[in-house]
């Protein structure tokens, strides 16, 4: 995981593998978010360097640590809530596949840019027998129209970039090598927003989702 700055926009590269949400991954991404917030960054883009933006939950770790499922899911929920209410503008550069919890992390950003010609955005929970938690459902439904929520959450459909943009899952598409620059470009005009005000607005806008994600 690598954090760089494009002028005042922080660019967090999650890595060049499946970038699954292991406990170590969660520790590292939270440390990087701390670093962003202690800097003078005026926006955050998350991206990746390989075939995947991320493949979501670390199912191997979960299978080996079933007695810690509640702790683990709580940490994932906390990450979603943190990104959802981050007091700077955020954009997700979906440079490759985003499945399950990774797609939810993308939804927690203010904006999403996806590669037009490669990669899938998918909530596969219905096909892998893992129902959404109330917090996860609330997060997704806070960002999507009811029609798109049904079409994505109940079907397991894999959306390519163009189809994802057509139904509002992502805001815009871009070509190979242009996804991250496009995400940075979305945030440049938003530089200079007061963090306290923006954070308060997001906390109010998404109060229901945050409450569901942090309950218990």
């Amino acid at each position: 995981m690598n954090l760089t700055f494009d002028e005042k926009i922080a660019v967090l590269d999650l890595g060049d593998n499946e970038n699954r949400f292991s406990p170590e991954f969660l520790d590292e991404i939270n440390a990087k978010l701390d670093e962003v917030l202690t800097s003078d960054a005026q926006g955050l883009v998350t991206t990746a360097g390989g075939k995947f933006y991320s493949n979501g939950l670390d199912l191997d770790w979960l299978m080996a640590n079933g007695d810690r499922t509640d702790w683990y899911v709580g940490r994932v929920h906390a990450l979603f809530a943190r990104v959802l209410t981050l007091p700077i503008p955020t954009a997700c550069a979906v440079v490759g596949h985003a499945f399950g919890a990774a797609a939810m992390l993308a939804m927690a950003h203010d904006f999403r840019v996806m590669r037009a010609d490669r990669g899938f955005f998918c909530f596969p929970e219905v096909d892998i027998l893992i129902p959404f938690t109330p917090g996860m459902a609330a997060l997704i439904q806070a960002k999507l129209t009811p029609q798109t929520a049904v079409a994505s959450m109940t079907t397991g459909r894999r959306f390519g970039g163009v189809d994802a943009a057509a139904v509002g899952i992502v805001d815009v598409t871009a070509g190979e090598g242009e996804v991250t620059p496009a995400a940075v470009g979305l945030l440049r005009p938003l530089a200079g927003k007061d963090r306290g005000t923006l954070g308060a607005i997001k906390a109010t806008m998404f109060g229901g989702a945050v409450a569901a994600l942090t309950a218990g």
Side-chain angles (χ1 to χ4, degrees):
M1 199 175 296
N2 185 45
L3 178 65
T4 59
F5 289 83
D6 187 334
E7 297 180 358
K8 295 292 187 178
I9 306 300
V11 179
L12 178 57
D13 188 324
L14 302 181
D16 60 3
N17 52 45
E18 290 193 12
N19 303 328
R20 287 188 179 269
F21 294 3
S22 67
E24 294 77 17
F25 177 96
L26 295 170
D27 288 342
E28 191 169 4
I29 193 170
N30 276 299
K32 295 298 186 185
L33 293 176
D34 289 342
E35 191 175 340
V36 170
L37 292 179
T38 57
S39 74
D40 62 351
Q42 296 180 5
L44 169 68
V45 169
T46 66
T47 185
K51 178 180 178 181
F52 290 89
Y53 170 71
S54 168
N55 214 4
L57 299 182
D58 189 338
L59 299 179
D60 289 340
W61 187 92
L62 268 175
M63 290 181 65
N65 297 273
D67 59 327
R68 302 183 70 191
T69 297
D70 289 345
W71 171 85
Y72 176 77
V73 172
R75 291 206 62 197
V76 173
H77 281 182
L79 175 63
F80 294 160
R82 186 179 192 187
V83 174
L84 188 62
T85 58
L86 210 66
I88 56 175
T90 60
C92 179
V94 187
V95 295
H97 300 309
F99 283 88
M104 297 174 208
L105 178 60
M107 297 309 304
H109 292 67
D110 298 329
F111 307 101
R112 284 154 296 285
V113 181
M114 188 171 175
R115 183 167 163 177
D117 62 337
R118 182 179 177 185
F120 291 112
F121 194 106
C122 178
F123 299 118
E125 281 72 11
V126 70
D127 292 324
I128 60 175
L129 311 183
I130 301 179
F132 295 97
T133 66
M136 291 172 176
L139 165 62
I140 298 166
Q141 290 175 277
K143 293 298 186 82
L144 298 179
T145 66
Q147 294 89 340
T148 301
V150 170
S152 58
M153 295 173 71
T154 69
T155 67
R157 176 179 170 185
R158 298 183 177 195
F159 290 84
V162 173
D163 288 342
V167 296
I169 291 175
V170 301
D171 298 277
V172 67
T173 61
E176 181 179 4
E178 297 299 322
V179 180
T180 301
V184 171
L186 280 179
L187 298 189
R188 287 202 196 282
L190 304 177
K193 303 297 184 189
D194 177 74
R195 288 189 179 187
T197 303
L198 182 58
I201 288 172
K202 290 186 183 182
T204 300
M205 284 180 70
F206 304 119
V210 170
L213 285 166
T214 57

